[in-house]
Amino acid sequence: MAALDGKKILVIATNYGVEQDEIVVPTDQLRERGADVTVAGQESGSIETLVGDKDPGKSVSVDTTIGSVDGAGDYDALVVPGGTINADTIRQDSDAVALVKAFAEAGKPVAAICHGPWTLIEAGVLQGKTITSFPSLQTDVRNAGAEWVDQEVQVDGGLITSRNPDDLPAFVDAIEQALTA
């Protein structure tokens, strides 16, 4: 039996501009650990990833759309990958922001990496928390009422955050730990 058997994880992203490894690595590794991972895009079809916000990356199949997900009830955790284009776009998506709020209010893990915490800021779930992110977000994080730290993974209650693709091993491990604790 795998560690995450029976766990359902939702990954939300735009259909263009997600940092390749920040969606591919968690999705693949969480599936390898037994989780049922659903990838939700803003539109059906596929997500066109980027490497370093500029070079084309892999395509990721979309299982459902963000707008068709009915809250946090069907899932155990939410993952918000980064990529500057993705993160800046998805934080303006009211359905994505509502999902972040719903997971946080339900006390379910919300994991965001790199620029992904922009959506957590938009959802208003950072007040009094300590998180990490890509360094350029630290002023935004502080303005949202949170403390920013520079480390590979930061867990504060149900929030799991990491800085960049180099932190993915610790990020994925922290998601697993949150779901098996």
Side-chain angles (χ1 to χ4, degrees):
M1 185 168 167
L4 296 177
D5 282 351
K7 300 296 182 183
K8 295 180 75 178
I9 300 171
L10 179 65
V11 177
I12 59 171
T14 58
N15 290 73
Y16 176 79
V18 182
E19 181 66 32
Q20 174 186 276
D21 287 352
E22 293 174 10
I23 190 167
V24 171
V25 172
T27 299
D28 289 351
Q29 288 188 3
L30 292 166
R31 284 178 176 154
E32 288 168 8
R33 296 175 190 201
D36 176 9
V37 179
T38 300
V39 176
Q42 288 181 301
E43 302 170 2
S44 58
S46 64
I47 293 169
E48 301 307 317
T49 69
L50 294 174
V51 177
D53 282 336
K54 60 184 183 304
D55 297 321
K58 297 178 182 176
S59 291
V60 175
S61 294
V62 170
D63 301 309
T64 190
T65 60
I66 293 169
S68 67
V69 176
D70 188 23
D74 293 335
Y75 299 95
D76 299 298
L78 176 67
V79 176
V80 184
T84 309
I85 296 167
N86 171 67
D88 192 44
T89 303
I90 204 162
R91 70 178 171 161
Q92 298 173 65
D93 182 320
S94 60
D95 291 326
V97 172
L99 282 171
V100 170
K101 282 184 185 179
F103 275 83
E105 288 172 359
K108 295 182 177 184
V110 176
I113 187 167
C114 201
H115 289 80
W118 267 339
T119 310
L120 279 59
I121 291 167
E122 199 64 37
V125 300
L126 294 186
Q127 186 68 41
K129 300 289 187 180
T130 300
I131 74 158
T132 193
S133 66
F134 193 77
S136 66
L137 274 64
Q138 60 185 294
T139 299
D140 298 335
V141 167
R142 289 185 185 113
N143 287 342
E147 179 182 345
W148 186 85
V149 293
D150 184 11
Q151 55 194 46
E152 66 180 358
V153 68
Q154 172 64 33
V155 179
D156 188 337
L159 298 180
I160 301 162
T161 52
S162 285
R163 301 169 300 191
N164 60 55
D166 293 339
D167 299 337
L168 281 163
F171 182 68
V172 175
D173 285 349
I175 295 168
E176 178 181 328
Q177 290 168 5
L179 291 171
T180 57

